[in-house]
């Protein structure tokens, strides 16, 4: 079946690194995503990774993928207060384009 | 990235009335759009897949007669909530594939907050 799970909350201090974790169940997923949602807003695509990659780095963001354990993580370096938001992990299990979302991790950055 | 807009951003309607929400792809053509619903502090739930020129595909448990979807052009899909009730109050978000049609180019609208009184 299709299921994506995330921890619900993460609190860090400004300047620290944040690591948000996600597990998924569908090993056929070709694409895995991280989206950011600020209060009252839609979703912003942060980054994505193809299933044949182990790691992808994009400025302050690092995505790690462990296909064997079906584990995906998003690391935000030098976390800022503006990074406070809900972060969703998502997968597309097939070519139909239907995104399966995790529950979202609420990141709180304290000054 | 590509831009998807929604209108209105907020709407308040009385119970029993219908309300239409528009989703537009502003700088690209979208043959497929998706409609999601999000309750407070919860994840997004896919309601339906909207295909240009054909009937929408609804997810299990979503009433197609209550949530009417029309995808009449390559840049516009509409969701009409018919005979709205307070339990239909929610945040509705649409998404669309980008110009390449590749799965990873899926962009989201800013959402529409519906409140039914």
């Amino acid at each position: 079946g299709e299921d994506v799970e995330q921890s619900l909350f993460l609190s860090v201090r400004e300047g620290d690194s944040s690591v948000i974790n996600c597990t998924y169940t569908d090993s056929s997923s070709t694409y895995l995503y991280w989206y950011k949602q600020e209060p009252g807003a839609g979703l912003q695509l942060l980054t994505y990774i193809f299933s044949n990659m182990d790691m992808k780095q994009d400025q302050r963001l690092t995505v790690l993928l462990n296909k064997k354990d079906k584990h995906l993580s998003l690391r935000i370096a030098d976390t800022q207060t503006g990074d406070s938001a809900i972060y969703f992990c998502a997968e597309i299990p097939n070519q139909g384009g239907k995104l399966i979302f995790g529950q979202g991790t609420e990141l709180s950055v304290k000054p | 990235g590509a831009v998807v807009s929604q209108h209105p951003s907020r709407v308040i309607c009385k119970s029993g009335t219908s309300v239409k929400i528009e989703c537009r792809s502003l700088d690209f053509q979208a043959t497929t759009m998706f409609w999601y619903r999000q309750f407070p502090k919860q994840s997004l739930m896919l309601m339906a897949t909207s295909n240009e020129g054909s009937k929408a595909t609804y997810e299990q448990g979503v009433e197609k007669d209550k949530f009417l979807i029309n995808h009449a052009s390559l840049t516009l899909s509409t969701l009409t909530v018919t005979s709205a009730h307070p339990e239909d109050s929610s945040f509705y978000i649409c998404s669309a594939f980008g110009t390449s049609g590749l799965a990873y180019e899926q962009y989201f609208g800013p959402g529409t907050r519906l409140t039914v009184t």
Side-chain angles (χ1 to χ4, degrees):
Chain A
E2 306 158 346
D3 197 15
V4 180
E5 293 194 357
Q6 301 175 237
S7 53
L8 296 181
F9 300 101
L10 176 65
S11 179
V12 301
R13 292 217 172 269
E14 193 173 20
D16 289 348
S17 292
S18 307
V19 179
I20 302 171
N21 295 301
C22 169
T23 57
Y24 61 98
T25 54
D26 197 316
S27 58
S28 67
S29 292
T30 307
Y31 310 96
L32 294 140
Y33 303 81
W34 284 103
Y35 285 89
K36 176 183 180 182
Q37 185 180 36
E38 297 182 359
L43 271 68
Q44 173 194 353
L45 176 63
L46 283 179
T47 187
Y48 62 90
I49 189 168
F50 291 112
S51 59
N52 61 357
M53 298 168 66
D54 298 324
M55 184 182 88
K56 180 179 180 181
Q57 187 152 2
D58 184 0
Q59 300 181 334
R60 292 192 296 125
L61 305 178
T62 303
V63 179
L64 294 178
L65 175 61
N66 182 328
K67 281 195 72 175
K68 176 175 170 288
D69 295 337
K70 299 192 186 77
H71 182 267
L72 183 73
S73 68
L74 173 70
R75 179 176 180 270
I76 306 173
D78 187 25
T79 314
Q80 303 297 307
T81 54
D83 295 323
S84 294
I86 298 177
Y87 291 80
F88 290 95
C89 166
E91 63 170 346
I92 293 185
N94 54 51
Q95 294 303 311
K98 172 181 165 181
L99 276 166
I100 306 297
F101 286 91
Q103 310 95 310
T105 298
E106 184 175 349
L107 174 64
S108 172
V109 183
K110 299 186 187 320
Chain B
V3 178
V4 175
S5 72
Q6 283 184 241
H7 177 80
S9 57
R10 287 179 175 273
V11 58
I12 300 172
C13 70
K14 290 189 183 299
S15 190
T17 61
S18 295
V19 62
K20 180 186 285 188
I21 302 169
E22 294 184 346
C23 176
R24 291 184 187 273
S25 55
L26 295 186
D27 50 359
F28 65 100
Q29 294 182 331
T31 55
T32 302
M33 291 182 173
F34 299 91
W35 285 97
Y36 293 84
R37 182 175 181 177
Q38 186 180 31
F39 291 104
K41 300 288 188 182
Q42 293 191 26
S43 188
L44 281 76
M45 180 193 79
L46 179 65
M47 299 174 66
T49 303
S50 172
N51 301 298
E52 188 268 335
S54 65
K55 289 183 180 179
T57 304
Y58 290 82
E59 294 299 303
Q60 194 172 5
V62 177
E63 298 176 63
K64 60 180 179 182
D65 294 329
K66 179 166 188 60
F67 299 100
L68 301 179
I69 291 172
N70 185 286
H71 195 152
S73 79
L74 287 171
T75 59
L76 173 65
S77 175
T78 61
L79 168 68
T80 301
V81 183
T82 62
S83 186
H85 289 283
E87 57 264 30
D88 298 325
S89 298
S90 191
F91 194 52
Y92 293 87
I93 306 177
C94 71
S95 71
F97 283 125
T99 50
S100 70
L102 296 174
Y104 61 81
E105 282 196 3
Q106 191 166 145
Y107 297 95
F108 284 78
T112 296
R113 172 78 58 196
L114 170 63
T115 303
V116 184
T117 59

